[in-house]
Every structure is written in structure tokens, then in C-alpha cells.
Amino acid sequence: MSSSQHLTTELRQWITAQLRNGVTREALYQAMLSSGWQPELARQALEEQGEDMPPASVALPALQEPPAVIAEGTLPEPDLGDGRSVLLPDGHRVQVVTTLQRPRVVVFANLLTDEECDAVVAAARVRLARSETVAAQKEGSEVNAARTSEGMFFERGENEVVKRIEARIAALLRWPLRHGEGLQVLRYRVGAEYQPHYDYFDPRHASSKAILERGGQRVATLVMYLNTPTRGGATVFPDVKLDVMAQKGNAVFFSYDRPEPGTLTLHGGAPVLEGEKWVATKWMREGEFI
Ligand code: PD2
Ligand code: ZN
């Protein structure tokens, strides 16, 4: 569990080396958070290092990557703060609405501001194409009748709002930013749906091999609602009969420790009955996604 993080000699040595190189404490703090270090530990590690900064160098110091923080077999697990809300390092407060242990599901309110939702929709709208899913029998992807939405992917860190959202997610889920895929945005019009499926890659499918080489299995999903459909469009978990209503700014997180139905993470997007539905999905990989 990432909640049992502790300061390692490797991390201390990394901090010392970076400070000697003239990297600022703020830059180190942000780099640690993006790599999944808990804010408290990151602060504590920096406070331990009391020495004065060397004079600012003329050249911009090169920031090296912090040591990995996640131990084998751990999963993304949200920071639930005091159980009602969590204050993230960027000053944004997120409410915890519902939690479920099995499958692990957490619903958040106000993960994104209205402005952030609108900015993502505006940037995505012009790049939408009919959604494809991974092909079962061949390499690549194909249009799938079970998925009648339109979608697009942002590159990781593609623009300022995407960067801000990704840093927030990394801190909330305590999972390195670089283990996340680029944000996917989907638009569903009336009648569009995403029939129940699993987000992990089926290791038996021919197409999975190449996908798994780019960061291993998916281990968690965060679906963020970018608008509020007038009617319909819930995210549904049929195994446990849970429906999460799409509400602008809110999000549903779930994790899966193995690529098997026994994780109870079957989920779908119910048909939109009135209005449109926009979501952004962030998938987390066990390794660094490249
Ligand atoms: O839009 C949804 O509610 C939804 C449902 C199931 C999104 C995804 N899966 C996904 O992006 O994987
Ligand atoms: Zn899904």
C-alpha cells in the first residue's frame, strides 16, 4: 500500500544530489508528488535537508527523475483525506462521495472545476472521431458496435489544463504521473452507450502483447464527467448493481489487481437518453506508460 511509504536512503540521496545541482525545493517537491510520493513525506524529506542552496547557476539545472515509489503488487489507491474531502497539493479540495471495498470504487465530487471541464471539452471537440476499441483477433483497433461514442486522446502533458489535471490525479491516486496513459475524451450523443466491458487487456488476445509492452497492465480507471447529461448516461457496475450518475466535475475511480472478471470491475456507460455526455478517462498502468 502506498500509505506505508517511508523515506528511503535512495530518495534522500536523490534530494541531496538535486539540491547540489541547483534544482529548487519547489521543483523537487512537485517532481516527488508526480512520482507518487505522499505530500507529507515529500515535505519531510525536503525539511531534513537544511543546507543552503548553492548560488543559482547560469544554466537551467537538469532535474533527474525521483526514485520509484511504488512497491511490487501495489495498486493506485486514492488519498481520502479526512474521509469527507481531500486537499490536494495544488490547493484544490475534492469531496469523497461514496466508497466501496469490493470492487474498489471511489466516487469524488468536484475533482475538476467547471472551467477545467469546459477547457478539456473545447480542446477535444475539434479532434473527435468514432471511438475504436482494441481488436480481439488482430493488432490495432477497430470500430465496435458496443461503443457508439466519439473519442480522442490527448498526449500526456499536452497542454496546460491537461498537465494540471494529470498532476492532480497523480497526487489523488498516489500513482506516478508517468504510469498514466494520455487522457481519453469521449462524447456520447442521445442513444450512444458503452456496453459493459473490462478496462484491462485480455492477455489471451493477440493484440494485447504489443499493448502490454508499453507499461504493463492497466490497474485502475478514473472516469471524469465533463458535463451533466440531461437524462441517462450513468456509469454502471452490473456485478455489484452500482450506478454512478454523470455529474459535471465529478469522477469515479476503480481498480483491479488482475485481468480477470473476478475483480468485479465489469462496467459500462448506460445509454444517454437526453442531452449529451462528455467524459475524460485516465487509465493507470502498473509500469511506466511509454
Ligand atoms: O463513459 C462512461 O461512463 C464509461 C463507462 C465505461 C467510460 C468507460 N468505461 C471507459 O472510458 O473505459
Ligand atoms: Zn471502461
Side-chain angles (χ1 to χ4, degrees):
M1 275 282 162
S2 40
S3 54
S4 61
Q5 273 179 27
H6 59 276
L7 295 182
T8 57
T9 309
E10 197 190 3
L11 182 74
R12 290 188 171 100
Q13 286 170 347
W14 172 80
I15 293 173
T16 310
Q18 303 307 302
L19 289 172
R20 291 229 173 91
N21 279 346
V23 179
T24 65
R25 282 164 194 267
E26 180 55 28
L28 290 185
Y29 180 63
Q30 293 303 335
M32 281 189 272
L33 296 186
S34 292
S35 290
W37 286 94
Q38 290 166 13
E40 232 164 79
L41 273 185
R43 264 196 302 273
Q44 190 189 328
L46 285 168
E47 274 163 17
E48 276 184 5
Q49 313 254 349
E51 63 199 76
D52 283 328
M53 295 295 106
S57 50
V58 182
L60 254 180
L63 172 64
Q64 290 159 351
E65 295 300 336
V69 69
I70 48 174
E72 278 281 309
T74 61
L75 288 178
E77 171 58 22
D79 178 356
L80 297 185
D82 62 9
R84 294 186 63 85
S85 73
V86 51
L87 181 62
L88 294 170
D90 64 359
H92 189 87
R93 188 174 283 281
V94 179
Q95 280 77 43
V96 180
V97 177
T98 300
T99 70
L100 191 65
Q101 291 303 332
R102 200 169 163 269
R104 185 59 171 152
V105 177
V106 181
V107 180
F108 296 101
N110 300 311
L111 175 59
L112 304 181
T113 66
D114 281 0
E115 293 71 27
E116 287 165 345
C117 292
D118 296 345
V120 172
V121 167
R125 186 184 289 279
V126 289
R127 286 163 52 183
L128 291 177
R130 175 76 195 272
S131 292
E132 299 192 335
T133 42
V134 173
Q137 301 311 331
K138 57 180 177 90
E139 293 214 355
S141 57
E142 60 191 12
V143 169
N144 183 337
R147 194 173 182 192
T148 46
S149 54
E150 303 152 274
M152 56 79 67
F153 274 93
F154 285 107
E155 291 286 319
R156 209 167 46 206
E158 184 176 317
N159 60 39
E160 285 312 309
V161 71
V162 165
K163 261 188 220 159
R164 180 165 10 124
I165 292 170
E166 288 175 334
R168 190 176 301 153
I169 294 171
L172 177 68
L173 304 186
R174 300 183 288 198
W175 204 249
L177 198 145
R178 293 197 324 276
H179 290 219
E181 297 181 28
L183 265 192
Q184 178 205 235
V185 175
L186 295 178
R187 169 175 68 181
Y188 303 75
R189 302 206 211 222
V190 170
E193 65 180 318
Y194 196 170
Q195 286 174 7
H197 60 273
Y198 301 97
D199 280 354
Y200 53 73
F201 304 107
D202 189 331
R204 297 166 305 184
H205 284 174
S207 55
S208 295
K209 189 172 178 288
I211 292 171
L212 292 173
E213 277 165 8
R214 299 181 62 194
Q217 262 299 353
R218 285 179 176 162
V219 287
T221 304
L222 182 73
V223 177
M224 294 164 277
Y225 304 105
L226 302 176
N227 81 325
T228 307
T230 314
R231 222 155 43 89
T235 304
V236 299
F237 294 81
D239 288 340
V240 286
K241 310 217 172 345
L242 173 70
D243 293 1
V244 179
M245 303 307 153
Q247 176 80 37
K248 186 173 184 176
N250 290 10
V252 57
F253 163 88
F254 54 99
S255 61
Y256 24 98
D257 61 356
R258 57 196 192 281
E260 288 169 21
T263 55
L264 305 180
T265 55
L266 185 68
H267 66 288
V272 172
L273 302 176
E274 198 178 339
E276 284 186 346
K277 174 188 175 191
W278 287 81
V279 299
T281 303
K282 176 63 99 175
W283 287 292
M284 298 293 174
R285 297 290 191 101
E286 53 193 343
E288 185 171 338
F289 178 73
I290 39 173

